[in-house]
């Protein structure tokens, strides 16, 4: 957002970075930290299912800061390479570079099934943006010398909300599209990225005074994120209840032996001609373990929502070990054969990942 | 002749109640309304409960937490095998002491 100002100061005084921490470092760092993490803490607090661990939030914030550092040098280099005006680049170039870099980690998280819902997409997105703004604010603070503290707080808050908000919105849109299209191809991330770039560019145009811009940022972006939070938590609740009941019903059929007359049972019987008997038996075991783990994951989410602390259960590790053995036993072809009955949507794979890391 | 209700909340004694029938999305609210009136340790006899779904599990969990916050407890007894199994698979057997 302040890229234009940043690059001109960088050109004037190349030793600025070296003296960065020499003037009231604790006060400056604290002032730049406070507004950034205030919003992030609010989002984590709103996560009633505790989908995202604090450790993961802190790590993601660090990633955001690293990305901020990288974008600083990329922007400098790009301006010099393209030989464009600073004002023009800050409106049309910097938003693309910065939002792309911030998006890269989110893309990885979604494709690695580490994000299950729009809620955690929003939290991770905001954490990346917060980390990005944190480092940017430190440099800005040094660049303008000793600003009025109130002005600095407003500026810090505004930038943090803008960076956090754009990446949170990118996470929300991308996760939503990824789920709808059952795809994690790069094209599902393009609409969210476009929205983030447009919002960022809009604020870099400085259509309004800094005070008005900050007020708009503080009202509009958090409102969007909160609305999505609410919708996503409702969606999570629906998925939990329907998914758990369906899984429990199928599991009961397997355990009581009533599976043979069901659609699953009839299909498994039809596989007996193509696979050895022990492989078909392992397929049924695999299905049962999958269901038990899926139900357990949903149970943990329900407990967290009710306010219970969940502790690691050694049974879960044992089940994951058994799952790996069964997957090896039936082989890739066997797994393909029972794929229609395994949980394979991105949300279902996420819940297994979620359970595996608890 | 009126149809048998799907779910019933029957008083057995002081702070002791029996759940009859099915506890699912349509009947969970009834249980929630009854449990909200209770502020001390209570025992629920589930021997006549044939079915429980996530909606019912959620209500029991919320009541357990609420009562725990006021140093009271929610105890469950007499679970049918299929209901007990659901509790065990979901992991709620570690929260509730299943009698």
């Amino acid at each position: 957002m302040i890229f234009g100002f940043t690059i001109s100061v960088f050109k004037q005084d190349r030793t600025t970075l070296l003296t960065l921490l020499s003037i009231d470092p604790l006060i400056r760092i604290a002032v730049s930290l406070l507004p950034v993490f205030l919003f992030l803490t609010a989002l984590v607090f709103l996560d009633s299912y505790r989908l995202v661990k604090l450790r993961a939030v802190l790590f993601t914030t660090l990633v955001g800061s690293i990305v901020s550092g990288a974008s600083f040098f990329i922007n400098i280099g790009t301006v010099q390479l393209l030989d464009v005006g600073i004002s023009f680049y800050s409106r049309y170039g910097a938003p693309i570079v910065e939002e792309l870099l911030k998006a890269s980690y989110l893309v990885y998280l979604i494709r690695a099934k580490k994000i299950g819902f729009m809620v955690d997409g929003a939290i991770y997105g905001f954490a990346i943006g917060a980390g990005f703004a944190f480092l940017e604010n430190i440099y800005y603070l040094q660049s303008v010398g000793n600003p009025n503290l109130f002005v600095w707080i407003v500026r810090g808050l505004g930038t943090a909300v803008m960076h956090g908000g754009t990446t949170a919105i990118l996470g929300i849109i991308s996760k939503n599209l990824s789920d709808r299209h059952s795809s994690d191809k790069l094209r599902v991330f393009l609409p969210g990225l476009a929205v983030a770039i447009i919002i960022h560019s809009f604020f870099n145009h400085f259509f309004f005074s800094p005070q008005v811009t900050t007020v708009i940022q503080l009202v509009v972006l958090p409102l969007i994120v909160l609305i999505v939070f609410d919708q996503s938590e409702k969606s999570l609740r629906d998925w939990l209840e329907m998914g758990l009941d369906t899984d429990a019903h199928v599991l009961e059929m397997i355990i009581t032996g009533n599976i043979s007359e069901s659609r699953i049972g009839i299909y498994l019987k039809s596989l007996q001609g193509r696979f050895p008997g022990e492989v078909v038996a392992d397929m049924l075991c695999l299905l049962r373990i999958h269901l038990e783990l899926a139900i357990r994951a949903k149970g943990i989410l329900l407990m967290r929502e009710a306010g219970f602390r969940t502790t690691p259960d050694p049974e879960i590790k044992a089940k994951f070990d058994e799952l790996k053995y069964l997957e090896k036993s039936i082989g890739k072809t066997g797994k393909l054969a029972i794929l229609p009955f395994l949980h394979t949507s991105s949300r279902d794979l996420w819940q297994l990942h979620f359970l595996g890391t608890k | 002749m009126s149809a048998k209700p799907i779910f019933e909340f029957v008083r057995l004694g002081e702070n002791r109640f029996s759940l009859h029938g099915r506890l699912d999305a349509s009947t969970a609210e009834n249980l929630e309304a009854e449990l909200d009136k209770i502020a001390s340790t209570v025992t629920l006899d589930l021997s006549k409960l044939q079915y429980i779904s996530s909606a019912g599990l959620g209500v029991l969990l919320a009541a357990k937490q609420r009562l725990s916050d006021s140093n009271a407890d929610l105890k469950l007894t007499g679970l049918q095998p299929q209901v007990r199994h659901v509790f065990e698979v979901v992991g709620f057997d570690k929260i509730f002491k299943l009698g």
Side-chain angles (χ1 to χ4, degrees):
Chain A
M1 183 178 169
I2 48 85
F3 175 70
F5 182 85
T6 303
I7 192 169
S8 62
V9 170
F10 183 77
K11 282 181 173 176
Q12 288 164 20
D13 184 8
R14 292 178 189 276
T15 62
T16 299
L17 285 174
L18 295 175
T19 59
L20 185 63
L21 295 176
S22 67
I23 305 171
D24 300 327
L26 287 178
I27 294 172
R28 289 166 189 272
I29 288 170
V31 168
S32 71
L33 259 179
L34 181 64
V36 172
F37 289 103
L38 210 59
F39 268 92
L40 190 55
T41 305
L43 280 181
V44 173
F45 178 73
L46 282 171
D47 175 21
S48 52
Y49 289 96
R50 302 290 176 262
L51 297 173
V52 185
K53 281 183 181 172
L54 184 61
R55 193 170 60 231
V57 171
L58 293 174
F59 178 77
T60 305
T61 309
L62 178 64
V63 169
S65 294
I66 293 170
V67 161
S68 180
S71 74
F72 176 81
F73 293 104
I74 291 173
N75 283 332
I76 298 283
T78 307
V79 165
Q80 290 172 347
L81 189 70
L82 298 178
D83 195 25
V84 293
I86 291 165
S87 178
F88 178 87
Y89 187 78
S90 76
R91 291 175 184 180
Y92 303 111
I96 295 174
V97 168
E98 291 173 11
E99 296 305 327
L100 255 176
L101 287 172
K102 285 192 289 173
S104 55
Y105 187 58
L106 258 183
V107 170
Y108 157 72
L109 288 173
I110 290 175
R111 297 184 90 183
K113 309 290 185 271
K114 292 180 194 287
I115 290 180
F117 298 88
M118 289 191 286
V119 170
D120 34 347
I123 292 175
Y124 278 116
F126 199 90
I128 293 169
F132 191 102
F134 167 54
L135 198 66
E136 190 182 77
N137 285 351
I138 287 180
Y139 183 77
Y140 177 73
L141 186 60
Q142 175 59 30
S143 301
V144 295
N146 291 308
N148 173 281
L149 194 63
F150 176 74
V151 170
W152 172 245
I153 288 173
V154 168
R155 194 272 168 201
L157 201 59
T159 303
V161 171
M162 190 281 290
H163 274 296
T166 53
T167 322
I169 288 169
L170 190 157
I172 288 163
I173 294 175
S174 299
K175 181 57 191 160
N176 187 274
L177 289 175
S178 175
D179 285 347
R180 276 171 188 241
H181 298 284
S182 299
S183 165
D184 57 8
K185 287 191 173 10
L186 289 178
R187 62 169 179 263
V188 303
F189 300 99
L190 293 179
L193 183 62
V195 170
I197 289 170
I198 289 167
I199 295 174
H200 191 153
S201 178
F202 174 83
F203 285 113
N204 279 9
H205 275 71
F206 303 108
F207 289 128
F208 307 106
S209 68
Q211 294 85 352
V212 173
T213 303
T214 300
V215 169
I216 293 174
Q217 286 170 334
L218 289 177
V219 170
V220 174
L221 290 178
L223 196 61
I224 294 173
V225 173
L226 285 172
I227 289 171
V228 168
F229 245 69
D230 187 56
Q231 290 302 314
S232 185
E233 294 235 316
K234 281 187 187 136
S235 162
L236 197 162
R237 161 61 69 183
D238 289 343
W239 170 78
L240 262 180
E241 290 185 358
M242 274 180 53
L244 196 151
D245 294 342
T246 306
D247 291 345
H249 176 66
V250 176
L251 183 62
E252 190 188 340
M253 279 201 296
I254 293 175
I255 290 168
T256 56
N258 291 332
I259 194 85
S260 52
E261 300 308 315
S262 70
R263 192 167 58 98
I264 299 170
I266 292 169
Y267 178 72
L268 283 173
K269 260 193 206 161
S270 74
L271 294 178
Q272 281 174 354
R274 290 159 46 198
F275 294 92
E278 59 269 24
V279 172
V280 177
D282 274 354
M283 286 177 180
L284 190 58
C285 290
L286 181 74
L287 183 58
R288 175 175 171 167
I289 302 262
H290 238 269
L291 286 167
E292 287 176 350
L293 288 171
I295 293 170
R296 181 59 65 95
K298 292 180 178 79
I300 290 175
L301 287 173
L302 281 174
M303 282 190 259
R304 286 187 177 188
E305 194 209 8
F308 287 95
R309 283 175 166 260
T310 55
T311 52
D313 186 346
E315 267 183 35
I316 293 176
K317 186 185 177 310
K319 285 191 175 156
F320 268 103
D321 291 340
E322 175 68 5
L323 193 72
K324 280 183 197 148
Y325 163 77
L326 290 167
E327 284 175 342
K328 206 173 165 183
S329 165
I330 67 175
K332 282 189 183 153
T333 316
K335 200 165 174 198
L336 270 174
I338 59 167
L339 208 57
F341 302 109
L342 286 180
H343 291 77
T344 54
S345 73
S346 66
R347 186 165 295 169
D348 295 323
L349 289 170
W350 165 83
Q351 76 179 344
L352 290 181
H353 159 79
F354 165 83
L355 197 58
T357 56
K358 298 303 162 206
Chain B
M1 188 162 135
S2 59
K4 189 175 164 56
I6 298 170
F7 174 75
E8 283 183 287
F9 187 76
V10 178
R11 174 180 271 275
L12 296 178
E14 190 174 344
N15 292 336
R16 195 176 167 83
F17 301 88
S18 176
L19 307 188
H20 292 209
R22 294 171 60 88
L23 189 53
D24 56 24
S26 62
T27 57
E29 278 180 10
N30 299 349
L31 177 63
E32 189 177 15
E34 295 291 349
L35 290 178
D36 280 348
K37 299 174 194 169
I38 298 169
S40 55
T41 295
V42 62
T43 301
L44 299 181
D45 181 347
L46 271 56
S47 59
K48 292 189 167 54
L49 189 71
Q50 303 302 322
Y51 171 85
I52 186 166
S53 75
S54 57
L57 290 171
V59 168
L60 290 174
L61 205 59
K64 174 86 174 175
Q65 178 69 6
R66 179 177 60 79
L67 290 170
S68 296
D69 288 344
S70 351
N71 294 321
D73 196 9
L74 172 66
K75 298 176 186 173
L76 304 178
T77 64
L79 278 74
Q80 295 268 357
Q82 65 273 22
V83 173
R84 177 181 287 269
H85 186 251
V86 171
F87 274 80
E88 287 169 353
V89 173
V90 176
F92 286 7
D93 54 332
K94 311 218 173 7
I95 304 283
F96 295 94
K97 289 186 183 54
L98 304 181

